[in-house]
């Protein structure tokens, strides 16, 4: 059954209104896609919206800067926010609903029931951002309950997040299909991020070291290197040699478990994180991927 798109894009603020709309859409037999975001939308978010548009009758974009996934001293307060511009971008991308709840209405800081994972939440991003993934998984579960999507689109840029959301969906039987979107980069290779606005011009150039490190990893693998340690050292070296960059980690993980490997194979992903000026940047690439 082909159902017609909703007439005009709606912006919904109250979680209860969102859930009532979602229940009505479900009763009408609509197929709903969710694109969860923290707003400050850029080309990468738009690419996820295009994927959503292909997947569903009704596309919902959530815009919520989730306090529970920021640690003390992180950038929750100054994270860029511009709902008007974001809503215009969603309308332009033929989205049907923007769900933009207030911090208070989502009650993240009051929640004492969480979704916490016990596998890789405390390594890599989780090691540098304690509590981050508990905040992420809890808000994603809430967003799923409020928007009742058939499919949800997540970017590969946040590879560990994507891994954990897929795991949550499997382990807790959420009736949601997770569709990954490819990493979208600036022409020079810098992965798009709302946090790139923190970079000064020279920092912006130094930020390219993450992409350079990933390219080097891929090239070493393509030339037959199988020792993960050698590749990690090469990646770390590239970032250490960039004056403004401070390495958090450069690791090679298995796609299946998101845990570090010793020997490389086609199911491996290189993951890097570094601070450049006031921005903390992450990036990753599958070793077998030709296009990064
Ligand atoms: P954010 O608004 O940064 O929380 O991101 C919302 C969604 O967009 C997440 O699924 C991210 O993985 C995805 N995303 C952000 N930047 C990129 C990018 N450069 N390429 C692909 N997906 C991205």
């Amino acid at each position: 059954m082909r159902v017609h798109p909703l007439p005009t894009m709606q912006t919904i603020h109250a979680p209860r209104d969102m859930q009532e709309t979602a229940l009505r859409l479900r009763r009408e037999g609509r197929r709903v896609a969710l694109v969860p975001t923290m707003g400050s939308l850029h080309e990468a978010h738009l690419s996820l919206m295009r994927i959503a548009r292909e997947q569903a009758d009704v596309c919902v974009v959530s815009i919520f800067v989730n306090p529970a996934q920021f640690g003390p001293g992180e950038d929750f307060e100054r994270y860029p926010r511009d709902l008007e511009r974001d809503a215009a971008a969603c309308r332009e991308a033929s989205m049907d609903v923007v769900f933009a709840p207030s911090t208070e209405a989502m009650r993240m800081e009051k929640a004492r029931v969480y979704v916490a994972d016990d596998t890789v939440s405390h390594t890599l991003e989780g090691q540098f951002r304690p509590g981050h993934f508990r905040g992420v998984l809890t808000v994603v579960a809430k967003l799923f309950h409020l928007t009742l999507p058939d499919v949800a689109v997540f970017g590969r840029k946040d590879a560990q997040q994507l891994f954990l959301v897929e795991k949550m969906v499997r382990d807790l039987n959420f009736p949601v299909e997770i569709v990954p979107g490819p990493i979208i980069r600036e022409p020079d290779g810098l992965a798009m991020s709302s946090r790139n606005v923190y970079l000064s011009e020279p920092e912006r150039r130094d930020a390219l070291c993450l992409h350079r490190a990933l390219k080097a990893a891929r090239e070493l693998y393509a030339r037959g290197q199988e020792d993960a340690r050698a590749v990690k050292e090469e990646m770390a070296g590239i970032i250490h040699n960039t004056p403004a960059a401070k390495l958090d980690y450069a690791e090679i993980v298995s796609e299946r478990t998101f845990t570090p490997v010793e020997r490389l194979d086609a199911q491996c992903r290189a993951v890097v994180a570094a601070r450049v000026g006031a921005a903390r940047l992450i990036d990753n690439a599958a070793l077998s991927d030709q296009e990064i």
Side-chain angles (χ1 to χ4, degrees), residues 35-45 47-48 62 64 69 79 153-159 161-162 181-186 190-196 283:
V35 182
T37 80
M38 298 206 297
S40 190
L41 302 177
H42 47 68
E43 192 50 46
H45 297 113
S47 83
L48 301 184
S62 63
F64 178 61
Q69 69 187 68
Y79 196 85
V153 190
F154 287 83
R156 284 206 194 278
K157 157 95 175 348
D158 297 272
Q161 166 177 290
L162 172 63
I183 300 179
I184 306 298
R185 301 177 179 284
E186 302 286 356
L190 181 69
M192 290 196 182
S193 164
S194 306
R195 290 190 167 97
N196 291 349
D283 202 346

Side-chain angles (χ1 to χ4, degrees), residues 247-290:
L247 177 72
D248 275 352
Y249 60 80
E251 194 45 271
I252 314 264
V253 297
S254 148
E255 298 267 27
R256 282 183 292 269
T257 59
F258 227 86
T259 53
V261 297
E262 285 177 11
R263 297 223 78 71
L264 306 181
D265 63 38
Q267 266 73 54
C268 285
R269 187 166 286 272
V271 292
V272 288
R275 284 155 292 137
V276 181
R280 185 171 179 284
L281 304 175
I282 61 172
D283 202 346
N284 68 87
L287 287 189
S288 55
D289 196 348
Q290 297 300 316

Side-chain angles (χ1 to χ4, degrees), residues 185-258:
R185 301 177 179 284
E186 302 286 356
D188 60 8
L190 181 69
M192 290 196 182
S193 164
S194 306
R195 290 190 167 97
N196 291 349
V197 297
Y198 302 151
L199 298 168
S200 69
E201 215 170 287
E203 286 165 354
R204 168 74 183 65
R205 275 193 296 278
D206 284 348
L208 291 173
C209 67
L210 280 82
H211 182 241
R212 273 205 305 278
L214 295 173
K215 268 203 316 200
R218 220 198 60 71
E219 276 158 24
L220 285 173
Y221 174 71
R223 276 194 262 126
Q225 178 60 265
E226 286 188 342
D227 179 14
R229 189 198 304 221
V231 176
K232 285 192 276 191
E233 279 173 8
E234 179 71 18
M235 290 198 294
I238 289 171
I239 293 173
H240 281 310
N241 285 333
T242 306
K246 293 195 175 57
L247 177 72
D248 275 352
Y249 60 80
E251 194 45 271
I252 314 264
V253 297
S254 148
E255 298 267 27
R256 282 183 292 269
T257 59
F258 227 86

